[in-house]
Amino acid sequence: DKPTAGQVAEALRCSGHTLHGLLKAEKVVEVFIHNLSKTPDAALLLAEGLTLSAYQFEGYKTDEKSRKAPALTKISVVGKAATKAQITELDGLLQGVLLARDLVNAPLNKLNAVQLAERIALAGDEAGYTTDILDLAKIEALRMGGLIAVNLGSPEPPTFSILEYKPKNAKNAKPYVLVGKGVVFDTGGLSLKPTPNSMDMMKCDMAGGAAVAGTLFALAKNNVPLHVIGLVPATDNRPGGLAYAPGDVITMHSGLTVEIKNT
């Protein structure tokens, strides 16, 4: 069977990843991509795979060996391989992806629910979307029972971020709404997750919220003519003294009552 356009695109991104490994071994700083293939956007797709592979979380390493800067710092697409507009669009998209990755990689002690909301708002200021952050008082006033219940065992307050990108030339009359989970760390609450290893990556439980922020960032950076709203309820889920328990009945924002079987 002839591969689909999507399969060809993914194969080229994967080739970019393979190429990055070779360039890294040779400590190559800059690479030029010229398209001699029959696939019009091959250079862009290869550059995309290269960029995603070259990503490195700045992180908190202190020893010099671990803190090495990435070798590959510049990718140039040459000749008729891409237009300036295409390169700008890919750059905007990749900035959104890298924002999401940075948020996901940040640990709880550097990114609680309040800090997540603030980081998302800061990114919006840069890209061009607005962020309205609801605090605990507002969340309680709106009776968001689910978010309040999950937050009960936490020593830190929850947030509810409303992101909005609304360009004047939006094609859609009704906004697209994206909802992303923002649980900055999930122990499982009183129904503790079994160990070993099950909690190691729970700082990533806000990846849905990070993806929503990254999407809005890319849309705004590229001036995409769509009205899009992002919703990110955020909290950690811990087994504190007031934590909600299996058997509890909570009332959601919609008025629906829910019996908790597993926290």
Side-chain angles (χ1 to χ4, degrees):
D1 286 353
K2 189 181 175 185
T4 64
Q7 288 170 328
V8 170
E10 187 60 13
L12 280 160
R13 290 188 198 99
C14 290
S15 295
H17 174 68
T18 305
L19 177 60
H20 177 258
L22 300 170
L23 296 173
K24 191 177 179 182
E26 296 296 326
K27 296 184 172 63
V28 174
V29 176
E30 185 175 2
V31 65
F32 296 84
I33 304 172
H34 183 38
N35 187 12
L36 299 174
S37 78
K38 289 177 183 176
T39 306
D41 53 354
L44 279 170
L45 290 160
L46 191 74
E48 185 179 355
L50 260 175
T51 306
L52 292 172
S53 300
Y55 167 78
Q56 196 169 292
F57 181 54
E58 288 296 325
Y60 310 99
K61 291 174 181 173
T62 47
D63 64 295
E64 290 301 319
K65 250 186 193 176
S66 311
R67 214 172 50 178
K68 275 183 190 167
L72 183 65
T73 52
K74 193 172 182 183
I75 301 168
S76 300
V77 180
V78 300
K80 293 180 180 177
T83 63
K84 193 173 180 182
Q86 285 175 313
I87 293 169
T88 303
E89 183 184 7
L90 178 60
D91 185 53
L93 172 66
L94 290 171
Q95 283 185 54
V97 174
L98 302 188
L99 166 66
R101 286 184 176 187
D102 280 347
L103 292 173
V104 170
N105 279 321
L108 174 65
N109 69 335
K110 304 292 184 184
L111 197 75
N112 61 23
V114 173
Q115 290 164 324
L116 174 63
E118 287 170 351
R119 282 280 301 275
I120 288 173
L122 202 62
D125 292 342
E126 182 193 334
Y129 64 81
T130 61
T131 310
D132 185 14
I133 303 170
L134 309 185
D135 61 8
L136 177 58
K138 187 71 175 171
I139 288 166
E140 286 178 334
L142 290 168
R143 297 180 181 178
M144 294 179 170
L147 181 54
I148 293 164
V150 178
N151 181 252
L152 285 173
S154 173
E156 296 168 328
T159 56
F160 192 105
S161 298
I162 303 167
L163 296 59
E164 185 167 26
Y165 170 61
K166 191 178 184 181
K168 287 177 182 174
N169 61 337
K171 292 176 183 175
N172 51 329
K174 290 182 179 178
Y176 292 107
V177 181
L178 309 176
V179 184
K181 181 181 180 183
V183 177
V184 286
F185 196 91
D186 188 6
T187 66
L190 287 184
S191 304
L192 274 174
K193 291 179 183 291
T195 48
N197 307 328
S198 60
M199 272 195 242
D200 294 357
M201 298 303 286
M202 279 297 108
K203 67 177 184 181
C204 303
D205 214 33
M206 38 57 68
V212 167
T215 301
L216 270 285
F217 190 94
L219 288 168
K221 273 280 181 183
N222 285 324
N223 301 307
V224 177
L226 291 174
H227 180 197
V228 181
I229 291 171
L231 305 176
V232 183
T235 178
D236 54 304
N237 184 30
R238 291 197 238 195
L242 292 171
Y244 72 136
D248 283 1
V249 176
I250 61 174
T251 305
M252 309 300 264
H253 175 62
S254 64
L256 184 73
T257 51
V258 175
E259 183 184 10
I260 303 302
K261 292 291 187 183
N262 187 311
T263 61

